[in-house]
């Protein structure tokens, strides 16, 4: 399964593609989509959508794993990120790629085994789990790889459903 992890933003959107099979994960590529600070927000959002469509077309992921929005102390930054995240959700749907959302705590738990792990612990575990020489840069790309790993680990723990049989809790 090809999992494209996305760390949403407006200035920098991290991405990381992981191939996962039978509990093993391998990094394929990672990087960041960036938009210039001087552009109006509407133009930045348009660019994010266009770049994301191109990225999905090139990488051909089976699924996308994206971080759920959370607000910290800076609500203004959170609102801008929410705009960018909306474009990313729209683009995934437009391209027909199934989307899975995870909270920061779920990502930390899946990658480190502790839902309140520090950022540096998550980044080091991404490096270790993917057998990389160093932590991926920028940080947004490492976060995106963590999101992809989170989906790889949580998805493989799900039991397959029979077609047409509704899920029950």
């Amino acid at each position: 399964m090809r999992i494209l992890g996305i760390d949403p933003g407006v200035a920098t959107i991290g991405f990381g593609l992981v191939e996962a099979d039978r509990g093993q994960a391998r990094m394929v590529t990672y990087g960041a989509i960036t938009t210039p600070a001087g552009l109006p927000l509407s133009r930045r959002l348009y660019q994010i959508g266009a770049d994301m469509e191109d990225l999905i077309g090139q990488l051909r992921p089976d699924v996308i794993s994206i971080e759920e929005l959370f607000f910290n102390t800076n609500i203004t930054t959170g609102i801008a990120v929410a705009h960018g995240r909306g474009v990313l959700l729209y683009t995934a749907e437009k391209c027909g790629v199934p989307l899975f959302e995870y909270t920061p705590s779920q990502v930390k738990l899946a990658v480190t085994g502790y839902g309140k792990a520090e950022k540096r612990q998550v980044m080091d575990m991404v490096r270790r789990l993917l057998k990389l020489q160093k932590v991926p840069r920028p940080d947004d790309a490492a976060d995106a790889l963590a999101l992809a790993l989170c989906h790889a680990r949580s998805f493989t723990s799900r039991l397959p459903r029979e077609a047409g049989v509704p899920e029950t809790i």
Side-chain angles (χ1 to χ4, degrees):
M1 172 186 306
R2 292 171 64 87
I3 306 163
L4 179 59
I6 301 291
D7 183 37
V10 173
T12 306
I13 299 91
F15 68 87
L17 185 69
V18 168
E19 285 186 348
D21 185 35
R22 296 185 178 97
Q24 298 296 311
R26 181 181 70 82
M27 189 276 299
V28 177
T29 190
Y30 64 86
I33 293 170
T34 58
T35 63
L39 291 181
L41 179 60
S42 60
R43 179 66 190 147
R44 291 174 95 176
L45 296 174
Y46 177 84
Q47 183 178 336
I48 289 167
D51 289 351
M52 199 56 204
E53 271 191 66
D54 289 347
L55 189 67
I56 290 170
Q58 289 172 22
L59 301 181
R60 302 271 184 225
D62 297 311
V63 298
I64 292 175
S65 174
I66 191 167
E67 187 173 62
E68 283 188 10
L69 187 61
F70 69 97
F71 286 93
N72 54 17
T73 55
N74 189 345
I75 192 113
T76 305
T77 301
I79 291 170
V81 171
H83 289 312
R85 188 176 178 281
V87 170
L88 296 166
L89 297 175
Y90 168 81
T91 305
E93 187 68 27
K94 181 179 178 186
C95 294
V97 182
L99 187 80
F100 295 85
E101 301 175 52
Y102 296 97
T103 66
S105 294
Q106 287 173 311
V107 175
K108 291 174 181 181
L109 182 63
V111 175
T112 69
Y114 179 56
K116 294 183 181 184
E118 293 179 23
K119 186 173 185 77
R120 64 177 175 73
Q121 292 171 304
V122 175
M123 296 176 114
D124 189 54
M125 283 305 295
V126 165
R127 180 189 63 77
R128 290 175 184 213
L129 291 168
L130 294 174
K131 299 174 179 67
L132 304 174
Q133 293 293 318
K134 55 187 177 178
V135 173
R137 296 284 181 222
D139 289 356
D140 308 271
D143 291 344
L145 287 168
L147 279 149
L149 285 169
C150 175
H151 183 72
R153 292 176 152 221
S154 64
F155 188 79
T156 56
S157 70
R158 296 177 185 169
L159 295 174
R161 290 191 310 146
E162 292 181 34
V165 178
E167 230 177 295
T168 58
I169 296 177

